[in-house]
Amino acid sequence: MIDSLNMLTDSKRELLTMLHRHHYSNCREFQLTIDALNLYDQFEENPEEIFLHSSLFKSNILRSNTAINSDSSILVSSGTSGQRSRIFADRETRVSQQRALLKIVGERLSLSPRHRIPYYVIDTKDILVDKSQGIQARQAAIMGFNMFGKSPNYLLNSDFSIDLKVLEKLISDDQPKLLFGFTWVVYKYFLMELIKQGINFTIPNSYLVHGGGWKKTLKEGVSNDKFKSLVTQLLSITHCINYYGMIEQTGSIFMECSHGYLHVNQFSDIIFRTNTLELSSINNPGIVQSISLLPKSYPGHSLLTEDFGVLRGYDGCKCGANGKYFEILGRLNKTIVRGCSDVY
Amino acid sequence: MFIDTPDKSEQLLANLLEAKNITNHGLNVRSELLNKLGMLIRKKAIDHKDKELLALSNYFLEVSDYKKIIGNKILQPRGLVFHIPSSNITYMPFYSWATSFLVGNINVVRLSRRANLNSLRLILNFFSSVSSKLYVNQYFVLPDYFNSIMNGCLGSIDLRLIWGNRDTISTIRKDSPLSIGLDLSFPDRYSACLISSNYYKVASDTQISQICKLFQNDSLDGSFGACSSPHLLIWISEESPSSDNFPLLYDLNTFIKNDVQEYGSISTENIRKFQESIITNDFSFKYLALGKYKGRPFLLYQDDLKLLPTFLQNASQSATIVLYIKSISEIKNVLPKNIQSMTYSPGISSEELSSLVADLDSNLPDRIIPLGRALDFDVVWDGYNLLEIFGRLVTFK
């Protein structure tokens, strides 16, 4: 049941092949995994068949022969669902990721760093303080979206209660605004709190962009639809836009269109696989393999994730955007493969 | 009793130190209790189509029929027994406990941090349905309290069972040495599976499906995480398998249902485990990748047989090692020592197996059993008769 729509375009395959070669030459761990199954010959023929498991970044800092210097940084996943990934990003990779984010978000939101709008972060300012273990995903995202906004206003206090002064400013300001937050934080500390306090308001011509931490939200039984309807009910905001992304592939995020589907872009792609790791056919749920054409300082360009989703189509989305569009359905059931030797 | 609070933990330690009062109700009563417990669990397992629960109930029923196992030997309890089970099998704490309970010991069983407490509570709820006698001197302890209880009465422990890897066993023995009690450990092992391609070639679709089903039964739904799951596959064939010509792998992949959320998880976890293993272990051996089953690679071993045990040690938890031989008589030349279980497929005759047993001599695995039975827990485990280990055999002349 292989569906060619699930494959990559030729140009992306070429870029992916180049990245495979780059990481093979520069990252010992990547080289070992390729050599172990003799996959070197597949670089050109079947580049999409080569991937690392995303959780490898939880137990290893994988680097592609880039020297650690003052310009390099470690990005750390949000850790809402367990152990954290640690990603080594050098300056070149970080810059390309920022540029990609700028282009993807700019195009989707029709925003530009030249015409910045008021920026409201649904999080606490304190989140930016702790960089002891590296730059956390939430920090990176807040800073990333800041490219479109004027100096950020934080809607939550240190104890995650709503800062009513900032909220008042948000409501009274008539200009178009950009609101950003991690889905889980927005839901738990903002929307739920607004309900408790019986507050609702209207923010016209504005955007709420949210993503990340969605596994926790889904666990609470809050689907994307439910989240959206809460946002409409409480904020009456013009655009509520979800995105799918991961710290291992910062920048090349998949943004939701006006019809509720996530879309690939020139920097990223997505593949869905059956439980036997064959390509899934269209409309059949599969394991998500996420591809980013950006990471050069670490081998995070082709990752098998623990998420599952479904490819809905190619070029035919009613929003008018080209390329693959898809949905993320959730997290695979957690399986820990343990042996008889595991006591604790 | 479930020990899940500091108060209960302290009380238990005080009780254990105060007196080793073995209230054993008599062997026949205990056997009856275990039998009733097994029957109740069996019903639940059948109603809910729960394979793991069914296997546990079968074990309870098997052990409760103790006379079949020990005949007329007289068995007395050892006294205070501590159990440290592995965490990969949900009901492992109860497997370890049942035999010791039957013999009449006071049992203190550690529950793993990763244990599914709901499943374990389910079994404890059955205890109360059967009889309160089942609770007497039987303790299931959360990990936070286990060590302090164990360390508080090291001098009183008569037997301790540790199911784990060598490092864990050494650490426990070093940090918490028993004064006089017997320490018994079951370190991690690996197992083999013997399949005849002659049978496979002529098997009908139904027979092939049956082999796939049995193979799947033996591998914890594809994770191969148990010592008794097949980590070494011995393929008897005239021709060497290749990635294009290894029908078993093709059939296994066709057999598994396309349930992404359930089995996809095992596939990705197997991939993770394999890649982790490559990064941390030495894979510089000659082998040919034949393909994958639920993300787990099957690797045809092509290196010096002397190196096979090292490769098995490095790779068997994350890959299935395939050995190809032309006839069953060659097994004696290729089978490494220290294999725990060896399953055999249909198509291998009892005569062939008998002659294999005679040939293998000191290389004999602990168990040689039909395909599909690898995960059945036997009262004889790793070569030990647990009934006899948990008890004292009385000589009466």
Side-chain angles (χ1 to χ4, degrees):
Chain A
M1 293 291 283
I2 292 173
D3 196 315
S4 59
L5 295 184
N6 202 354
M7 294 178 78
L8 305 184
T9 60
D10 287 347
S11 57
K12 283 186 180 172
R13 294 178 99 226
E14 265 174 46
L15 287 167
L16 192 59
T17 301
M18 280 166 61
L19 279 170
H20 286 329
R21 287 215 183 94
H22 165 77
H23 292 298
Y24 183 84
S25 307
N26 294 293
C27 176
R28 186 180 162 271
E29 291 86 356
F30 186 73
Q31 189 184 49
L32 284 171
T33 56
I34 297 302
D35 288 347
L37 291 180
N38 224 356
L39 294 172
Y40 188 83
D41 293 343
Q42 302 290 310
F43 280 2
E44 270 179 51
E45 227 171 287
N46 294 303
E48 57 276 330
E49 293 305 314
I50 292 162
F51 43 77
L52 291 185
H53 192 284
S54 57
S55 289
L56 283 187
F57 291 91
K58 290 179 179 167
S59 43
N60 308 274
I61 294 185
L62 306 177
R63 287 197 298 130
S64 293
N65 200 28
T66 316
I68 301 171
N69 57 40
S70 56
D71 273 343
S72 53
S73 47
I74 300 287
L75 304 176
V76 188
S77 63
S78 61
T80 52
S81 47
Q83 215 183 342
R84 295 172 172 211
S85 293
R86 293 161 76 209
I87 311 300
F88 174 79
D90 68 356
R91 190 170 185 283
E92 185 192 347
T93 296
R94 270 204 331 274
V95 167
S96 68
Q97 290 176 332
Q98 276 165 9
R99 283 188 182 145
L101 187 71
L102 189 70
K103 188 157 171 60
I104 295 165
V105 179
E107 280 180 8
R108 172 68 185 93
L109 269 55
S110 305
L111 291 178
S112 155
R114 287 183 197 156
H115 306 288
R116 293 178 177 225
I117 58 175
Y119 181 39
Y120 288 83
V121 179
I122 305 176
D123 212 318
T124 160
K125 196 176 184 177
D126 294 357
I127 187 76
L128 297 179
V129 177
D130 180 17
K131 289 182 185 166
S132 55
Q133 291 180 21
I135 300 170
Q136 292 177 36
R138 266 158 72 187
Q139 295 170 338
I142 290 168
M143 292 187 288
F145 283 94
N146 200 18
M147 288 187 290
F148 302 99
K150 295 175 183 169
S151 60
N153 302 283
Y154 291 87
L155 277 155
L156 302 182
N157 292 311
S158 304
D159 62 355
F160 286 89
S161 61
I162 295 177
D163 185 329
L164 294 173
K165 275 186 192 163
V166 179
L167 183 66
E168 213 174 294
K169 188 178 167 192
L170 169 79
I171 299 169
S172 59
D173 187 349
D174 286 342
Q175 302 174 74
K177 291 168 283 284
L178 172 62
L179 280 72
F180 170 75
F182 255 48
T183 308
W184 167 245
V185 177
V186 175
Y187 171 73
K188 184 166 183 195
Y189 299 107
F190 193 60
L191 301 180
M192 287 293 99
E193 208 45 45
L194 291 177
I195 290 176
K196 258 191 216 166
Q197 298 189 23
I199 303 173
N200 58 58
F201 45 88
T202 302
I203 324 178
N205 304 320
S206 296
Y207 307 88
L208 167 62
V209 177
H210 65 97
W214 59 273
K215 291 148 206 156
K216 224 172 169 177
T217 324
L218 276 178
K219 224 176 171 180
E220 294 273 318
V222 184
S223 63
N224 192 31
D225 286 346
K226 190 174 171 187
F227 184 91
K228 269 190 199 311
S229 93
L230 267 178
V231 169
T232 310
Q233 183 194 323
L234 297 166
L235 275 60
S236 295
I237 198 163
T238 327
H239 308 281
C240 174
I241 302 167
N242 186 13
Y243 72 87
Y244 175 64
M246 55 199 80
I247 193 78
E248 295 85 351
Q249 295 184 340
T250 302
S252 56
I253 58 174
F254 303 92
M255 292 209 74
E256 189 184 47
C257 72
S258 51
H259 284 75
Y261 293 115
L262 296 158
H263 280 257
V264 301
N265 51 65
Q266 67 186 92
F267 308 103
S268 68
D269 215 306
I270 200 116
I271 286 170
F272 297 92
R273 296 185 176 275
T274 67
N275 66 64
T276 58
L277 302 174
E278 302 284 327
L279 299 181
S280 306
S281 54
I282 199 162
N283 287 324
N284 279 318
I287 305 164
V288 173
Q289 178 190 347
S290 182
I291 289 166
S292 171
L293 302 171
L294 304 172
K296 289 192 82 180
S297 57
Y298 64 93
H301 56 300
S302 176
L303 298 177
L304 189 71
T305 72
E306 288 166 328
D307 299 330
F308 77 108
V310 60
L311 180 67
R312 290 301 184 199
Y314 192 96
D315 278 355
C317 185
K318 285 177 186 165
C319 75
N322 286 334
K324 286 181 198 171
Y325 57 100
F326 62 96
E327 285 178 86
I328 295 296
L329 302 174
R331 191 84 163 154
L332 294 168
N333 286 343
K334 190 70 188 160
T335 297
I336 301 168
V337 176
R338 283 178 254 163
C340 291
S341 63
D342 295 303
V343 169
Y344 300 107
Chain B
M1 184 188 276
F2 196 45
I3 307 296
D4 57 352
T5 64
D7 288 351
K8 285 185 192 172
S9 160
E10 278 168 29
Q11 187 59 52
L12 171 58
L13 180 58
N15 288 350
L16 294 176
L17 289 173
E18 206 169 274
K20 284 204 283 177
N21 178 22
I22 302 181
T23 312
N24 59 19
H25 318 299
L27 184 57
N28 286 337
V29 174
R30 291 193 303 271
S31 156
E32 205 176 299
L33 290 170
L34 202 56
N35 185 279
K36 277 187 187 165
L37 187 62
M39 294 301 281
L40 265 181
I41 295 173
R42 189 178 162 77
K43 187 177 177 312
K44 176 92 177 174
I46 291 169
D47 288 349
H48 289 79
K49 294 183 180 160
D50 186 330
K51 280 191 293 184
E52 282 200 61
L53 204 54
L54 186 63
L56 179 72
S57 69
N58 287 342
Y59 182 68
F60 284 3
L61 296 175
E62 183 195 334
V63 172
S64 68
D65 198 2
Y66 67 94
K67 281 189 179 159
K68 271 192 185 165
I69 304 164
I70 58 166
N72 291 322
K73 287 174 188 167
I74 304 168
L75 211 52
Q76 285 290 293
R78 279 188 185 273
L80 178 58
V81 179
F82 272 64
H83 305 249
I84 304 178
S86 58
S87 64
N88 61 326
I89 310 278
T90 311
Y91 300 114
M92 194 62 210
F94 293 101
Y95 282 106
S96 196
W97 162 83
T99 331
S100 185
F101 164 78
L102 181 77
V103 178
N105 293 308
I106 301 170
N107 291 295
V108 183
V109 185
R110 183 189 189 278
L111 301 178
S112 158
R113 227 166 266 289
R114 296 188 284 192
N116 178 344
L117 289 183
N118 286 340
S119 299
L120 301 180
R121 280 205 174 97
L122 174 85
I123 306 294
L124 291 175
N125 288 342
F126 280 121
F127 277 35
S128 34
S129 309
V130 173
S131 164
S132 57
K133 286 177 184 170
L134 269 168
Y135 282 120
V136 179
N137 287 328
Q138 311 305 316
Y139 306 100
F140 295 86
V141 184
L142 287 184
D144 289 346
Y145 310 113
F146 186 84
N147 278 2
S148 59
I149 298 170
M150 179 171 74
N151 291 335
C153 58
L154 288 171
S156 310
I157 297 173
D158 296 294
L159 172 65
R160 178 169 63 186
L161 263 88
I162 311 171
W163 309 75
N165 65 31
R166 284 163 206 278
D167 290 345
T168 306
I169 294 165
S170 311
T171 308
I172 294 172
R173 286 188 173 175
K174 186 171 152 272
D175 295 347
S176 309
L178 298 186
S179 307
I180 47 168
L182 178 64
D183 234 335
L184 188 64
S185 55
F186 295 96
D188 47 327
R189 309 270 300 273
Y190 44 81
S191 293
C193 168
L194 198 55
I195 297 185
S196 158
S197 81
N198 285 339
Y199 173 82
Y200 207 88
K201 269 186 218 160
V202 296
S204 65
D205 288 351
T206 317
Q207 287 167 323
I208 285 176
S209 282
Q210 182 62 9
I211 288 181
C212 293
K213 190 178 168 189
L214 295 172
F215 191 85
Q216 168 137 318
N217 273 354
D218 285 350
S219 62
L220 275 181
D221 279 337
S223 78
F224 298 84
C227 297
S228 45
S229 285
H231 308 102
L232 176 68
L233 172 59
I234 302 171
W235 182 252
I236 310 168
S237 170
E238 289 298 315
E239 297 162 15
S240 172
S242 66
S243 54
D244 298 330
N245 183 23
F246 190 43
L248 174 69
L249 210 46
Y250 173 82
D251 292 328
L252 281 172
N253 278 311
T254 311
F255 176 75
I256 53 176
K257 281 182 283 179
N258 197 14
D259 183 341
V260 169
Q261 198 179 5
E262 198 63 41
Y263 293 122
S265 165
I266 295 171
S267 297
T268 55
E269 181 58 11
N270 278 332
I271 294 268
R272 185 199 64 77
K273 211 170 178 189
F274 182 63
Q275 293 184 338
E276 244 346 315
S277 184
I278 288 163
I279 291 172
T280 50
N281 291 318
D282 181 5
F283 267 68
S284 56
F285 296 83
K286 277 186 224 154
Y287 58 82
L288 175 74
L290 297 173
K292 291 190 185 91
Y293 165 62
K294 290 185 182 168
R296 183 179 166 96
F298 278 49
L299 310 175
L300 180 66
Y301 188 74
Q302 295 177 322
D303 218 324
D304 187 341
L305 281 171
K306 280 182 199 158
L307 302 172
L308 178 62
T310 316
F311 188 53
L312 271 169
Q313 206 173 354
N314 290 359
S316 63
Q317 286 307 314
S318 62
T320 295
I321 317 304
V322 181
L323 268 181
Y324 134 76
I325 53 173
K326 288 189 173 168
S327 83
I328 198 166
S329 61
E330 286 180 37
I331 292 181
K332 63 175 183 290
N333 306 323
V334 300
L335 195 71
K337 282 189 177 177
N338 212 21
I339 294 281
Q340 191 217 46
S341 303
M342 184 165 76
T343 56
Y344 55 89
S345 71
I348 297 173
S349 69
S350 51
E351 289 78 20
E352 283 175 306
L353 286 168
S354 301
S355 110
L356 175 67
V357 168
D359 273 1
L360 278 173
D361 195 20
S362 63
N363 276 17
L364 263 175
D366 291 339
R367 303 193 301 162
I368 300 174
I369 43 180
L371 192 68
R373 303 279 304 276
L375 298 184
D376 289 1
F377 193 88
D378 286 331
V379 73
V380 177
W381 199 253
D382 278 11
Y384 295 106
N385 183 327
L386 293 180
L387 261 177
E388 295 187 0
I389 287 289
F390 281 120
R392 290 181 294 115
L393 276 175
V394 175
T395 309
F396 178 62
K397 289 183 180 173

